[in-house]
Amino acid sequence: MRPETLDNLHRILGDKGIVTGTDVHEGYYTDPRGLGDVRPNVVLRPASTAELSQIMKICHDAAQPVVVQGGLTGLVTGARPQHSEVVITMERMNGIESIDTKAGTITVLAGTPLQVVQEAADAADMVYPLDLGARGSCTIGGNLSTNAGGNRVIRYGMTRDLTLGVEAVLADGTVINSLNGFMKNNTGYDLKQMFIVSEGTLGLITRATLRLYPKPKTQVVAFCAADSFDAVADLMAHMRTGLGADLSAFEVLWAKTYAAVLSDVTGIKAPIPEGRAFYVLVEMMGSDAAHDTEKFETCLGQALENELIVDAVLSRSNAEIDALWDVRDGMAHAMGKQQPSVGFDISLSVADMKVIESELLSRLQAALGDVRLFIGGHLADGNLHLVAKSLKEGPQPRDTIQEIIYGWVGEVGGSISAEHGIGLLKRDYLAQSRSPAELALMRALKQTMDPKNLLNPGRVFDLGTAPMADNAQAPTP
């Protein structure tokens, strides 16, 4: 970075708003995938939209590429800095601006952790239903930039369904304010949707107005076992019919994944013995305290009578609800324990889920010999998480595993990314899920809104080399 550019940024941000040189700690280039290859020489810490706007005006004039960071919990290395990039962290743009319980809205800054929003809603006797395992550290801006889904998509939708408006800063510093609280607003293009799931490549989200819902009066959870995938699929249809809109979660673990949770995650107790093919967590959240539990028990009893499930445990207290959810949330921890391995986040039809284990194991074993495959996820919204691991000595054959799995996902018309985004890790496989015409349109939009390719360059797809600046260095050993 040229000295005059750094001086201009320092005048805007002051000493608290800029970190340089050896003061840049590992937290600015480390994510769940590990320590990054590049330690940035400059980290910018704006405290307001006005400051971020001025930052981007200066960077635009200097042709300086930037990478934006929220909680650095992403799994596709989209927020890790690359050579030549200045980091913009949203850590100081953090807080709740307003809550309107009558309208059911909350307006927050982009750097606000998800859990802070959940707690603010809870204090107002409302609920913000987006929920992820990284709730304590992931931020709202990151949730929007990847259209995060989480555990209750079947009832409340993904992040885009929970978002009424956003404010964002464009590459040249222009501020786009679409912060409205209207569910119906058909005044031309829905500009907020350009920024949601764009992974910071079209604009930097600074604030958002989100939807809140009345807090459910009841919550009932069951943990079930089934002997076949057909039974699991029939159970899902049965619970949807019996519970209607009150069905809030339907989570499935394949047998090997359940076994890994029980063996590899500390503190998890088996609610049901191993030995079955599938394990299902079903949750109902309702508003009729007098009858919801009875309704749920009746529906579950019918499933047992119809042999859709062979065993079930029903929650009787909040502590038991938490314990059952701990088993499901333990999936991410168990999969993480398989390192070194290769992880996936995909969407498929239910019909393709039936054959995923046999089909992928057959292809992986033919190419690599002995492998392990762990599968589980949000069955009702078509999203599965996978971890594949070759047992051969030496580094994991990442490219081969990805080519096999993403190749099959493309063959069946699935999505290579259900809720984690594309970032850098999945960029080369985007064409498995998007047509050439779609990719061309996305590229044209990027080139129109960010002609200098300054915002998170190289993420999602590669437009070529971003303008270079001498502002990055290799990590200190």
Side-chain angles (χ1 to χ4, degrees):
M1 176 180 288
R2 293 191 293 269
E4 60 270 25
T5 302
L6 187 59
D7 289 343
N8 289 335
L9 291 168
H10 196 276
R11 278 194 292 271
I12 292 169
L13 297 172
D15 292 339
K16 291 184 178 181
I18 190 166
V19 184
T20 59
T22 57
D23 290 333
V24 176
H25 59 73
E26 290 184 358
Y28 292 116
Y29 56 100
T30 302
D31 64 15
R33 297 295 185 192
L35 184 68
D37 298 326
V38 176
R39 182 179 70 194
N41 268 356
V42 179
V43 175
L44 307 177
R45 304 174 66 238
S48 67
T49 300
E51 286 187 357
L52 181 57
S53 174
Q54 293 179 73
I55 286 172
M56 286 314 306
K57 287 177 182 177
I58 291 170
C59 289
H60 189 264
D61 290 343
Q64 172 61 58
V66 304
V67 58
V68 65
Q69 294 180 352
L72 276 167
T73 60
L75 297 174
V76 292
T77 67
R80 273 195 201 169
Q82 304 297 298
H83 286 288
S84 85
E85 295 175 351
V86 163
V87 168
I88 297 177
T89 174
M90 307 300 283
E91 60 192 4
R92 295 177 71 202
M93 295 187 65
N94 177 352
I96 308 296
E97 291 197 334
S98 64
I99 297 179
D100 186 339
T101 56
K102 291 183 174 62
T105 64
I106 184 170
T107 299
V108 305
L109 294 172
T112 309
L114 171 60
Q115 186 170 334
V116 172
V117 178
Q118 292 174 329
E119 291 172 351
D122 183 71
D125 202 32
M126 302 287 284
V127 62
Y128 179 60
L130 179 67
D131 191 38
L132 316 173
R135 64 186 68 85
S137 49
C138 68
T139 63
I140 291 300
N143 297 158
L144 269 69
S145 73
T146 57
N147 189 28
N151 298 327
R152 297 187 174 99
V153 169
I154 58 172
R155 176 162 180 174
Y156 297 103
M158 297 187 72
T159 299
R160 71 165 71 252
D161 302 299
L162 300 171
T163 305
L164 294 173
V166 302
E167 176 187 78
V169 174
L170 302 185
D172 64 357
T174 300
V175 178
I176 301 296
N177 190 330
S178 293
L179 280 175
N180 67 75
F182 309 134
M183 291 182 62
K184 292 184 176 181
N185 182 12
N186 292 325
T187 52
Y189 302 139
D190 190 354
L191 298 179
K192 71 175 182 292
Q193 296 295 351
M194 289 196 306
F195 304 112
I196 297 173
V197 86
S198 71
E199 301 184 43
T201 61
L202 300 181
L204 308 182
I205 295 172
T206 53
R207 292 192 293 164
T209 298
L210 308 171
R211 296 181 66 180
L212 300 180
Y213 288 83
K215 190 183 296 183
K217 291 182 170 56
T218 60
Q219 181 183 15
V220 191
V221 174
F223 198 85
C224 313
D227 280 338
S228 71
F229 187 85
D230 284 338
V232 171
D234 289 342
L235 174 65
M236 182 170 64
H238 170 75
M239 300 305 284
R240 275 179 159 160
T241 300
L243 302 180
D246 289 340
L247 178 64
S248 53
F250 193 93
E251 305 287 305
V252 180
L253 303 179
W254 271 243
K256 288 185 176 63
T257 307
Y258 182 60
V261 171
L262 298 182
S263 64
D264 297 344
V265 183
T266 303
I268 299 295
K269 295 182 179 180
I272 292 177
E274 295 181 59
R276 301 298 182 176
F278 297 91
Y279 296 85
V280 184
L281 183 145
V282 185
E283 179 187 73
M284 172 187 184
M285 301 178 80
S287 58
D288 188 347
H291 300 104
D292 280 346
T293 299
E294 179 183 354
K295 177 181 178 181
F296 189 87
E297 289 178 344
T298 298
C299 199
L300 197 66
Q302 291 169 345
L304 279 165
E305 290 177 7
N306 295 334
E307 298 183 346
L308 304 181
I309 53 179
V310 293
D311 199 358
V313 173
L314 187 67
S315 65
R316 297 296 182 184
S317 66
N318 289 335
E320 291 182 0
I321 288 173
D322 292 342
L324 294 179
W325 267 110
D326 284 345
V327 178
R328 163 57 184 88
D329 290 343
M331 183 182 78
H333 301 292
M335 288 182 171
K337 295 274 190 177
Q338 308 309 317
Q339 296 294 337
S341 59
V342 187
F344 299 86
D345 158 52
I346 61 175
S347 284
L348 297 169
S349 70
V350 173
D352 291 320
M353 291 182 189
K354 178 179 179 178
V355 300
I356 184 173
E357 186 174 42
S358 59
E359 186 66 36
L360 291 182
L361 277 176
S362 173
R363 297 185 184 204
L364 290 168
Q365 289 170 347
L368 301 171
D370 199 7
V371 297
R372 295 289 182 270
L373 187 64
F374 302 88
I375 310 172
H378 322 293
L379 194 75
D381 57 54
N383 175 197
L384 293 181
H385 301 289
L386 285 72
V387 162
K389 178 181 179 69
S390 169
L391 299 186
K392 286 185 178 179
E393 292 187 7
Q396 285 291 303
R398 175 176 295 274
D399 291 344
T400 300
I401 292 173
Q402 288 181 329
E403 287 169 5
I404 290 172
I405 292 183
Y406 286 142
W408 179 76
V409 171
E411 286 177 23
V412 300
S415 169
I416 66 166
S417 180
E419 57 184 358
H420 291 169
I422 300 299
L424 295 169
L425 285 185
K426 300 183 182 182
R427 184 183 66 190
D428 294 342
Y429 300 96
L430 186 58
Q432 297 284 4
S433 298
R434 290 289 196 171
S435 69
E438 288 177 310
L439 290 172
L441 182 58
M442 287 194 287
R443 288 174 180 273
L445 184 60
K446 169 69 171 174
Q447 290 168 332
T448 298
M449 296 184 66
D450 183 15
K452 294 186 178 182
N453 194 23
L454 303 181
L455 299 178
N456 286 9
R459 282 72 172 180
V460 184
F461 43 72
D462 190 4
L463 290 180
T465 303
M468 298 297 290
D470 185 17
N471 77 313
Q473 63 186 37
T476 301

